[in-house]
Amino acid sequence: MNLKKSCLIVLLTMGVFTSGKMYSQVSVGDPSPPLGGILLDIKQGPSDANNTNSTKGVLFPRVFIADKNKLGIDVDTKALEYAGSQVYNTNDVLGKGMYTWDGEKWVRYVTAVTYKKTQDSEMISFKTTSKTNMYLLNKNDTEITALALPSWTATLDGNLYITTVLYAKLSTNASGTQLTDLGNTFFRIELKGSDNTVATFLAACTPINAKPSSAGVGTASTYARNNPAVAIAQGAAPVKKGVTYSIKVFATEAWAEPNTVTVGTFEWKSNYAFSTMKVDFISAPY
C-alpha cells in the first residue's frame, strides 16, 4: 500500500469517527434533518401539510416492575442517574402502563383525567322598592320602575333565575255600607334579549279590604286590617353568551276600579313590606 492510499484511508476513518461528534442531532427512519430543538427525531419521512411524518409509533421497553420504589433495571445505587427513564410496566398488580423513574420511585403516567365540569354563579341584581315607592294601578300596564334591570350582558351560556315578591293593597278603606272591596292584581315580569328573545313570568294576588263582621276584631265599625296581599313569582330562562338582557316588572289591575290599588312598599306599625326582585345567573357546565 503506497503512502497516498494510506493517507486516504486515515482521512476517511477520521471522518467516520468524528461525524458523530459533529452531528449531535439524529434523524431515525428518514435522512431529512431533525428540528433545531430535537436531539432524536424518529419519522418515516418529511412532514406533510398536516404536520404528519409517520404512520407508525414507538414501542417502549416492557419491564415487569415488582416494586415501584426499586429501580429494578439496574442496581439501586444508580437510582438518581436513571431519573427520567421511561418503560412500559407489565405488572398488573401495580397497574399496567407507562411509568417514569423520578429518581426515587416509578410514577405512572396519568393518560386521562376526568375533571368535574365547572359552573359559574353570580347574583346579578337585588332591587327593592323604597319606603316611598308607590304605584297607582289602572287597567293598563304600569311599570314598577324601581325593580327594573336595564342592561346585563351574559358572559357565558346559562340561565337567569328571577324571583319576585310583590305587594299590592287597596288604596282606600271600605265604608260601613259597602260590601267587601276586592282587587285582582296581575304582575308580568318580562325578560328581553338583544337577540329579540322574550321570556315572561306571571303572578297575581287579590288585595282585600273586608267589611264589618261580628266575628271581626272589635265593634261593627271596625274593619279587618287592610294588610297588603303578596304575589310571588319564580322562573328561569336560558341566556346566551354575548347577548344583552333587560328585565321589567309590570302590574295591571283587572277587577277593582281604576286608582284603587297601589303596588310597592307598605308600612303598618313601623313594619315595612318591600316589593323585591332578585336575579341570579348560573352558567351552563363547561
Side-chain angles (χ1 to χ4, degrees):
M1 182 183 296
N2 59 36
L3 182 60
K4 186 175 181 180
K5 287 185 178 180
S6 298
C7 290
L8 180 60
I9 292 172
V10 170
L11 290 172
L12 290 172
T13 304
M14 288 176 63
V16 170
F17 283 102
T18 59
S19 62
K21 294 181 181 179
M22 292 174 65
Y23 300 100
S24 58
Q25 296 172 274
V26 178
S27 288
V28 175
D30 183 79
S32 59
L35 296 173
I38 300 299
L39 289 175
L40 177 63
D41 192 357
I42 303 173
K43 54 193 174 183
Q44 284 181 284
S47 296
D48 59 20
N50 295 319
N51 200 28
T52 300
N53 59 19
S54 181
T55 59
K56 299 176 176 62
V58 174
L59 190 61
F60 280 81
R62 277 147 168 72
V63 174
F64 185 93
I65 300 176
D67 186 342
K68 68 178 181 180
N69 296 309
K70 290 187 177 181
L71 180 61
I73 57 177
D74 203 343
V75 293
D76 286 342
T77 54
K78 296 183 180 181
L80 290 177
E81 298 177 43
Y82 281 90
S85 297
Q86 299 175 7
V87 299
Y88 181 88
N89 173 42
T90 62
N91 184 355
D92 230 350
V93 175
L94 292 182
K96 292 181 179 180
M98 291 296 299
Y99 282 72
T100 298
W101 179 255
D102 68 0
E104 296 180 348
K105 61 185 179 301
W106 290 103
V107 180
R108 187 177 183 181
Y109 282 7
V110 180
T111 55
V113 179
T114 302
Y115 293 97
K116 183 179 179 181
K117 289 187 175 182
T118 300
Q119 281 185 285
D120 289 355
S121 62
E122 179 184 2
M123 186 175 75
I124 302 301
S125 177
F126 180 77
K127 294 191 175 183
T128 71
T129 52
S130 71
K131 291 181 180 180
T132 58
N133 284 141
M134 297 291 291
Y135 299 86
L136 195 60
L137 302 187
N138 53 46
K139 303 298 182 181
N140 300 314
D141 281 348
T142 298
E143 184 184 352
I144 315 303
T145 55
L147 304 182
L149 177 64
S151 178
W152 173 78
T153 302
T155 56
L156 293 166
D157 291 342
N159 289 283
L160 280 185
Y161 296 85
I162 303 172
T163 303
T164 55
V165 179
L166 303 162
Y167 289 98
K169 181 180 177 181
L170 285 167
S171 58
T172 58
N173 292 326
S175 69
T177 58
Q178 286 181 305
L179 296 175
T180 302
D181 287 339
L182 291 173
N184 200 15
T185 305
F186 291 94
F187 295 94
R188 187 176 86 254
I189 301 93
E190 187 176 83
L191 170 68
K192 282 188 175 182
S194 57
D195 59 350
N196 297 319
T197 55
V198 178
T200 302
F201 310 100
L202 300 175
C205 66
T206 300
I208 182 172
N209 189 348
K211 71 173 186 175
S213 169
S214 59
V217 291
T219 66
S221 62
T222 302
Y223 290 78
R225 290 177 180 174
N226 183 19
N227 289 334
V230 63
I232 298 175
Q234 293 178 307
V239 293
K240 294 182 179 179
K241 179 180 178 180
V243 177
T244 300
Y245 296 89
S246 65
I247 302 176
K248 293 182 178 181
V249 180
F250 299 95
T252 304
E253 184 50 45
W255 285 357
E257 292 299 317
N259 304 323
T260 63
V261 175
T262 53
V263 172
T265 300
F266 301 94
E267 178 185 9
W268 68 100
K269 291 186 177 180
S270 301
N271 296 311
Y272 288 91
F274 297 94
S275 293
T276 63
M277 181 177 73
K278 183 172 180 283
V279 182
D280 297 290
F281 170 70
I282 300 180
S283 74
Y286 65 93

